[in-house]
Amino acid sequence: VIRQGDKGDAMFILESGEVEVVDEKVVDESGVAKLLCKLGPSSYFGELGLLNSDIRAATVRVPDRATVLIITRRAFEQHLGQLKDILKRNAEDMYAADGGARKKVIPAKLE
């Protein structure tokens, strides 16, 4: 769905299925990227790219099947701009500094 290091120009809401969030900068001896978390239906991700114009901090991949709603920057600003402050406040809680080197992903739900 997204690749670590790419420009963040959309956010995503997972309608069904599951996605895996991985850190491709941290791999084990067999070259497998570190699994940070799994997200299920109603979870959202990629919002920091819209809020802060950040590059993607992790790769999000679909291990089997998933249905994902894509919200582009333009659609977000036109229709959901008023949520920007709420998402920023939630992002502070969801992404905690991990020794200052990287961010820890914590699953979040839309309510």
Side-chain angles (χ1 to χ4, degrees):
V1 180
I2 61 177
R3 181 160 307 279
Q4 189 170 0
D6 285 354
K7 180 181 175 185
D9 57 359
M11 70 175 285
F12 306 85
I13 300 173
L14 186 57
E15 183 178 327
S16 65
E18 181 179 81
V19 297
E20 298 174 337
V21 181
V22 298
D23 184 346
E24 293 184 338
K25 293 181 181 178
V26 180
V27 295
D28 63 17
E29 293 113 15
S30 61
V32 177
K34 179 180 180 183
L35 178 66
L36 299 174
C37 68
K38 293 182 180 184
L39 302 174
S42 299
S43 297
Y44 64 91
F45 55 93
E47 74 281 6
L48 293 180
L50 293 182
L51 297 174
N52 305 325
S53 298
D54 287 347
I55 60 168
R56 301 297 187 192
T59 291
V60 179
R61 62 187 184 202
V62 179
D64 189 25
R65 293 184 69 119
T67 303
V68 179
L69 171 67
I70 302 170
I71 303 173
T72 64
R73 180 179 306 281
R74 182 172 181 222
F76 178 81
E77 290 172 353
Q78 286 180 339
H79 303 288
L80 303 172
Q82 66 271 18
L83 296 177
K84 192 172 190 174
D85 291 336
I86 294 169
L87 287 172
K88 279 188 176 188
R89 187 173 59 243
N90 288 347
E92 291 173 4
D93 295 334
M94 292 185 322
Y95 300 93
D98 182 14
R102 61 182 173 86
K103 294 179 180 178
K104 180 180 178 185
V105 179
I106 300 171
K109 300 277 185 181
L110 282 179
E111 305 203 18

